[in-house]
């Protein structure tokens, strides 16, 4: 997992994203469909709703930093277990949204590109490294869920919409 220093870098850069929250999804989807136009059909026609989902996704990623080590223990209820939440999210992406496994790479690249554009100089190499690591950890857990497809819990409570 990420070190406390890396988590701190993500939290402070997230505070800079909040004021430009309207711009970030515009940048993200424009870039995503430039680099990977084949993924446009995966998303609904109305990108306005989708843009809110991107912010929900980012909030989810940042909020996951606040889950304590206890959230990773076996005794916690399935709906509170971070690993299960991520695996179930990955399963939804695979089964419901039908995203290909290789799309995680380009989406990660576009996320980093967007933060770089949006934050400018504040997006230092160390901040970039921390976000890259966080995306890698989360997408790896999601891909495990997509492969196993044995996880079945309600995400509604856990993911901000
Ligand atoms: C770290 C990786 C990702 C996270 C945390 C994430 C998170 C989310 C969340 C929270 C939603 C809202 C619905 C739900 O809770 O199921 C969503 C929907 C969606 N995501 Fe992702 N996502 C990730 C990666 C990807 C990738 C790689 C793609 C590939 C293009 C993708 C495509 C979609 C699509 C198509 C939808 C649903 C659109 C609809 O409403 O029909 N996501 N994602």
């Amino acid at each position: 997992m990420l070190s406390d220093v890396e988590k701190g870098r993500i939290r402070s850069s997230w505070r800079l994203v909040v004021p430009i929250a309207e711009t970030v999804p515009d940048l993200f989807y424009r870039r995503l469909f430039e680099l990977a136009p084949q993924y446009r059909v995966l998303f609904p026609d109305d990108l306005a709703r989708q843009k809110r989902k991107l912010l929900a996704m980012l909030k989810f990623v940042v909020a996951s930093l606040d889950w304590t080590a206890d959230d990773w223990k076996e005794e916690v209820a399935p709906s509170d277990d971070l690993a299960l939440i991520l695996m179930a999210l990955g399963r939804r992406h695979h089964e419901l949204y039908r995203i290909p496994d290789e799309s995680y790479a380009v989406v990660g690249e576009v996320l980093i590109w967007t933060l770089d554009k949006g934050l400018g100089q504040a997006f230092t190499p160390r901040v970039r490294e921390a976000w890259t690591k966080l995306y890698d950890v989360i997408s790896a857990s999601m891909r495990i869920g997509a492969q196993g497809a044995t996880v079945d819990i309600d995400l509604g409570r856990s993911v901000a919409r």
Side-chain angles (χ1 to χ4, degrees), residues 52-79:
R52 285 198 300 276
K53 285 190 183 169
L54 175 72
L55 287 176
M57 162 179 146
L58 288 175
K59 266 191 206 160
F60 174 78
V61 166
V62 175
S64 74
L65 296 172
D66 293 325
W67 275 312
T68 66
D70 285 346
D71 293 328
W72 295 88
K73 284 189 186 159
E74 277 177 26
E75 310 89 71
V76 297
S79 57

Side-chain angles (χ1 to χ4, degrees), residues 32 39 42-44 49-50 53 56-57 60-61 86 89 92-93 97 99-100 103-105 107 135 138-139 142 155 159-161:
L32 179 61
Y39 297 150
L42 298 173
F43 294 90
R49 255 184 74 234
Q50 200 54 39
K53 285 190 183 169
M57 162 179 146
F60 174 78
V61 166
L86 292 175
L89 186 62
R92 284 160 69 100
H93 278 70
Y97 312 141
I99 69 151
S103 64
Y104 281 100
V107 165
Y135 182 83
I138 288 178
S139 58
M142 287 173 63
L155 275 175
V159 176
R161 280 160 200 275

Side-chain angles (χ1 to χ4, degrees), residues 72-143:
W72 295 88
K73 284 189 186 159
E74 277 177 26
E75 310 89 71
V76 297
S79 57
D80 288 337
D81 188 303
L82 175 56
L84 288 184
I85 288 166
L86 292 175
M87 288 195 285
L89 186 62
R91 179 184 171 179
R92 284 160 69 100
H93 278 70
H94 178 67
E95 291 185 350
L96 265 129
Y97 312 141
R98 306 259 167 221
I99 69 151
D101 192 53
E102 65 269 17
S103 64
Y104 281 100
V106 69
V107 165
E109 190 187 316
V110 170
L111 176 65
I112 297 300
W113 180 91
T114 304
L115 292 169
D116 190 11
K117 284 278 166 220
L119 299 182
Q121 288 188 345
F123 200 64
T124 64
R126 285 181 171 160
V127 173
R128 170 191 296 262
E129 203 182 310
W131 274 95
T132 304
K133 199 164 161 186
L134 179 61
Y135 182 83
D136 286 349
V137 169
I138 288 178
S139 58
S141 306
M142 287 173 63
R143 291 207 306 273

